[in-house]
Amino acid sequence: MTTLHPLSASIRLTLALSALGLAGSVTAAPATSTATSADLSADYAASATVATLDAIEVTGARRREEEAQDVPIPLTVLNRETLARSGVFNVSRLQNLTPSLQFYSSNPRNTAVNIRGLGQPYGLTNDGIESGVGFYVDGVLYARPASTTLDFIDVERIEVVRGPQGTLFGKNTTAGAILVTTRRPSFTPSTNVEASLGSEGFVQAKASVTGPLSENVAGRLSFSGTRRDGLVRNVLTGRETNELDNLGLRGQLLFQGWENTEALFAFDFTRQRPEGYAQVLAGVAPTFRGTPGFASSLYGIGPNPNANPRRHFWGIISELGYTPPNVDLASRTVRPFDRVIDTGTPWRSGNDIGGASLNIETALGSGTLTSTTAWRFWKWDPSNDRDYTALRIGTLSQAPSKHRQWTQELRWAGDLNERVSGVFGLYGFAQALNTDPVHTEEVGADYFRFIWNPSPGPNGSPNIALWGPNGSVVGNYFAGQRSEINSRLDTKSAAAFGQVDWALTETFHVLAGLRYNVDRKDVDFRQRVLNVPTLPTGAPTAPAAAYSNQTAVRQDDDTNLSGQLTLAYKPSERANLYATYATAFKSIGINLGGGPAIEIPPEDVRHVEIGLKTTLRPGVTANVSAYNTDVKNFQTQVLVPGNPRPVIASAPKVRVRGFEFDGSAAIGESFSLLASLAYADGKYVRFTNAPVPLELTGYTRPNGQPEVDVSGKRLPGISKWTGSLGAEYRRGTRWFGRDGDAFVGGDWFYRTGFSSSATPSEFLNVDGYGLLNLRVGFRATDGWSASLWVRNALDKDYIELLQAAPAGQGAGHFGAQLGDPRTWGVTLQTTF
């Protein structure tokens, strides 16, 4: 019987694991190999200088053994040993090992995963914009960004592919892809158990069992659970928030017995129930409308002669008699790392994700035909307080949602003749994304004070005195006003794709691919306003309601042809030079975040890259690449002061360019070193009508629009420099009557500061930071290990993102998602 891999159809790839800080290279084992328990133990032992990985497809049907250094594409491959040693169990931690990967999350729904600064809009999520980074598990696309917050379950390896993808498999992606491969069932019984205990109540348990169910059927059942206490204290409720509470289960059945054919059925379910993702009050910016004498040096605007301190956060809370728990009101300083909040609305992140898939592969002609069928679901049940204070400004900000997704891929990979191989396929994607039952925004009695203009004259609110002492009547007028959104987004996408690899000579290859996409989006969006009271006869003129009714029913269609051309030249066994030109496409965006359901045009990507991979000597590699990516009609999100939800916008052109280095060295069998460095320069090339940043709240152009020109200014979320360094020293010894290796190791990650606002701001900028993680322990050759670990060993205070308070009405205050403080613990693992 022919042994097949779920992605690559009898394609076998030799991986040079020196790229992971491990010496040597080995030929990939067949996907259905039946390793013994002793093999699994030895595979995990640190004394081994190589590890065996299954075949992977990264360049197409190349039907010959080749090392990863020969693959003409920027690629990072991390096997399960590397992930385990570094404590990487989700995408958030994965970015510490792959500097070109960025992960931002203010809760699972509002998550962005970018590669080289591109992929998803920075900030709160808008369901009408697709991701430019594909997240795949065993070849199945996980379309919702919330999937990337889940714990990895029984992972064999992870590949991070940089640059546009789409001519080889799956859905078109403009920035890259994260490919997760889980461990497959084996016909040899084996069990793996891992348990961790740590500070802050950290508890993590993982287990996996595999073995035969019959002569031709093998199964694997895997479990992962993580729990940790909260790291932020709510002084109003006395509860800890920002905890971890994750449970995940994955099962697989491998069917063999047919000649040249095998099938793999898989199902998974993950449940998250943390009280979490609270942002702390992090600072207060001056504003154009509320800070006399303030002038923006970034935009050359101001000062405003009519600025009124009573319209600024400090003036408002002083009049309301309120002091946040991490604020010194006398000096007007904010202490975000007190890690305290006093928000009145609960923080809840109920996140359920799961699905099932069937992968069938059969030999056909000179290649293999692969069919991957999948169904997935997502259910989101949140509760948030988006004004970051105990004040009753925005009392509710909830977007419960449900999602259903169906995908079908049919792909043939094989040789066309002695010099030409290829991959050809069809892909279908359908999703239904609905509110469940409605998205809700609600304001409270303090809302009026944040929108009131106490200035006399035509721009003021002179009737405020008629509304009772301190505006109590008008405050009650607003209290409870609510917006409810009922929306449905149905997406259907189909594509035909193909790529050929033509070997002109033994050392020179041409790889060319095309993809044709057809997309349709059907939208039914209805926003209604509730709880606006009717005023009695003779009452003063009512202020404008906090929300407005909106309705949109529309259908949008689009088609696109994109492609890729790569020239690869291998002058010697130690060097591989490549150059790539690619085009990519992201379908139209539709605003579903509140307000009119406007459409923005599709993104059009032009990407150029050159790279050189070298093996300087056995066990020592050095790879470099340089790239330039231009994006027309860049899909972004902006937070307009006074609007509690961000809205989508289209920047006519942006550009990201940079270079990357990754290298490794293995010194004997005792010491390994891994280093990566990335430089990225991302900026708006042309965007002349961007909404004003937080500090320019109240500014309008002569045409009356609150806009600024951000052309030439930096894109959000991109650090100029990021880097990582990992090292481990091992020494053979005998502990507790067992042979094995004692080890000590560490990983260091650093990034420079970055903008945390879609419209560049002088105040919403995150400082650079470095994180050091350390470990020490013992790995026995008979399959068990014990380690002590410390994360953020230097106890660095750092911020993951900053965000203007969405419900703050542009008063100047902003919140932060804090990084974790120092944590420590112990991990025990065994295989039998």
Side-chain angles (χ1 to χ4, degrees), residues 632-685:
K632 293 182 179 179
N633 303 320
F634 177 70
Q635 296 176 356
T636 185
Q637 285 199 128
V638 291
L639 187 63
V640 180
N643 191 335
R645 298 291 301 177
V647 297
I648 59 174
S650 178
K653 187 175 182 180
V654 305
R655 185 194 68 205
V656 181
R657 59 176 51 161
F659 63 83
E660 297 161 337
F661 164 83
D662 65 82
S664 64
I667 302 174
E669 296 185 355
S670 298
F671 184 75
S672 57
L673 181 68
L674 173 67
S676 298
L677 180 68
Y679 170 83
D681 178 25
K683 70 178 183 179
Y684 293 102
V685 176

Side-chain angles (χ1 to χ4, degrees), residues 124-441:
L124 298 179
T125 291
N126 194 303
D127 292 330
I129 296 181
E130 296 183 356
S131 173
V133 174
F135 183 70
Y136 293 86
V137 178
D138 290 339
V140 176
L141 174 69
Y142 287 23
R144 302 315 307 162
S147 300
T148 60
T149 67
L150 306 181
D151 289 356
F152 299 139
I153 302 177
D154 207 12
V155 168
E156 177 67 27
R157 68 178 176 276
I158 297 176
E159 303 127 43
V160 179
V161 185
R162 304 187 288 276
Q165 306 298 314
T167 63
L168 287 169
F169 62 91
K171 202 171 190 305
N172 192 42
T173 55
T174 57
I178 301 172
L179 311 179
V180 179
T181 301
T182 65
R183 301 177 70 183
R184 287 163 58 87
S186 170
F187 284 90
T188 298
S190 177
T191 301
N192 183 272
V193 179
E194 179 181 307
S196 299
L197 295 175
S199 59
E200 308 294 348
F202 180 81
V203 179
Q204 187 174 71
K206 300 179 182 179
S208 178
V209 59
T210 187
L213 301 179
S214 69
E215 181 180 358
N216 297 315
V217 180
R220 179 180 287 274
L221 187 64
S222 307
F223 165 83
S224 176
T226 304
R227 180 74 175 86
R228 190 203 64 199
D229 294 339
L231 301 178
V232 173
R233 183 170 59 91
N234 190 323
V235 299
L236 186 65
T237 65
R239 298 176 60 88
E240 303 293 325
T241 188
N242 288 14
E243 61 187 17
L244 296 178
D245 187 357
N246 306 333
L247 291 174
L249 181 70
R250 183 176 182 84
Q252 298 179 82
L253 291 174
L254 175 64
F255 299 89
Q256 296 183 342
W258 308 287
E259 185 176 1
N260 298 329
T261 300
E262 71 173 26
L264 181 66
F265 172 78
F267 68 90
D268 68 278
F269 174 74
T270 295
R271 174 183 182 272
Q272 294 181 314
R273 290 295 184 273
E275 181 174 335
Y277 298 94
Q279 288 88 56
V280 303
L281 181 65
V284 180
T287 66
F288 182 82
R289 80 177 186 192
T291 307
F294 168 71
S296 170
S297 59
L298 185 61
Y299 294 97
I301 295 173
N304 175 14
N306 297 316
N308 189 335
R310 297 183 69 192
R311 302 200 69 192
H312 188 265
F313 182 77
W314 294 126
I316 294 171
I317 67 170
S318 178
E319 291 185 11
L320 293 176
Y322 167 69
T323 302
N326 62 343
V327 165
D328 183 332
L329 199 56
S331 61
R332 293 187 172 182
T333 57
V334 182
R335 303 180 302 274
F337 294 103
D338 285 1
R339 298 183 181 270
V340 293
I341 59 175
D342 63 349
T343 50
T345 303
W347 292 89
R348 182 180 69 246
S349 295
N351 193 32
D352 292 342
I353 295 180
S357 64
L358 178 63
N359 191 92
I360 301 174
E361 295 200 348
T362 185
L364 181 64
S366 59
T368 298
L369 182 67
T370 302
S371 171
T372 302
T373 306
W375 169 83
R376 299 203 59 76
F377 75 90
W378 171 57
K379 184 176 177 61
W380 172 239
D381 180 24
S383 176
N384 307 292
D385 194 323
R386 293 297 188 187
D387 60 39
Y388 309 147
T389 71
L391 296 174
R392 296 167 297 168
I393 313 169
T395 54
L396 292 177
S397 179
Q398 338 286 46
S401 305
K402 61 181 179 181
H403 169 261
R404 300 293 183 270
Q405 168 193 320
W406 300 264
T407 57
Q408 173 64 55
E409 181 167 0
L410 191 66
R411 182 182 65 252
W412 181 88
D415 285 342
L416 301 178
N417 58 45
E418 291 184 356
R419 288 189 173 272
V420 181
S421 58
V423 176
F424 306 93
L426 300 172
Y427 185 77
F429 170 84
Q431 72 169 351
L433 179 60
N434 301 333
T435 55
D436 187 29
V438 295
H439 292 181
T440 303
E441 298 282 343

Side-chain angles (χ1 to χ4, degrees), residues 4-15 28 31 53-64 66-68 71-77 136 138-139 157-161 165-170 177-181 359 361 367-370 372 409-415 421-425 497-501 511:
L4 304 172
H5 182 269
L7 283 180
S8 64
S10 70
I11 303 167
R12 302 171 69 227
L13 183 65
T14 302
L15 288 178
L53 299 181
D54 290 345
I56 60 172
E57 178 185 75
V58 292
T59 62
R62 297 175 65 88
R63 286 182 60 87
R64 61 182 182 274
E66 60 181 359
E67 295 183 352
V71 179
I73 193 170
L75 170 72
T76 299
V77 183
Y136 293 86
D138 290 339
R157 68 178 176 276
I158 297 176
E159 303 127 43
V160 179
V161 185
Q165 306 298 314
T167 63
L168 287 169
F169 62 91
I178 301 172
L179 311 179
V180 179
T181 301
N359 191 92
E361 295 200 348
T368 298
L369 182 67
T370 302
T372 302
E409 181 167 0
L410 191 66
R411 182 182 65 252
W412 181 88
D415 285 342
S421 58
V423 176
F424 306 93
F497 59 87
Q499 181 168 302
V500 296
D501 178 355
L511 296 90

Side-chain angles (χ1 to χ4, degrees), residues 644-823:
R645 298 291 301 177
V647 297
I648 59 174
S650 178
K653 187 175 182 180
V654 305
R655 185 194 68 205
V656 181
R657 59 176 51 161
F659 63 83
E660 297 161 337
F661 164 83
D662 65 82
S664 64
I667 302 174
E669 296 185 355
S670 298
F671 184 75
S672 57
L673 181 68
L674 173 67
S676 298
L677 180 68
Y679 170 83
D681 178 25
K683 70 178 183 179
Y684 293 102
V685 176
R686 186 171 68 258
F687 192 11
T688 60
N689 59 338
V692 296
L694 175 63
E695 63 268 25
L696 288 180
T697 300
Y699 168 78
T700 60
R701 284 177 167 173
N703 63 4
Q705 297 300 314
E707 299 171 344
V708 291
D709 184 355
V710 300
S711 303
K713 294 179 171 55
R714 62 177 174 170
L715 290 171
I718 302 178
S719 295
K720 285 278 189 181
W721 294 95
T722 54
S724 65
L725 182 66
E728 184 172 286
Y729 176 75
R730 304 171 295 273
R731 182 170 181 174
T733 186
R734 185 175 176 83
W735 281 9
F736 307 110
R738 288 178 168 85
D739 292 327
D741 282 357
F743 65 89
V744 59
D747 303 291
W748 179 75
F749 170 79
Y750 179 77
R751 67 181 303 179
T752 57
F754 59 92
S755 168
S756 193
S757 173
T759 299
S761 166
E762 296 176 60
F763 303 94
L764 296 178
N765 298 301
V766 175
D767 293 335
Y769 58 87
L771 301 176
L772 176 65
N773 304 320
L774 301 173
R775 60 186 180 273
V776 60
F778 177 75
R779 301 187 189 101
T781 55
D782 62 1
W784 75 269
S785 66
S787 62
L788 298 173
W789 47 264
V790 181
R791 296 192 62 82
N792 190 6
L794 302 180
D795 202 21
K796 173 68 176 179
D797 287 335
Y798 68 101
I799 289 172
E800 294 183 341
L801 62 87
L802 294 171
Q803 183 172 284
Q809 304 304 312
H813 67 298
F814 55 90
Q817 196 76 39
L818 301 181
D820 291 349
R822 177 169 53 216
T823 56

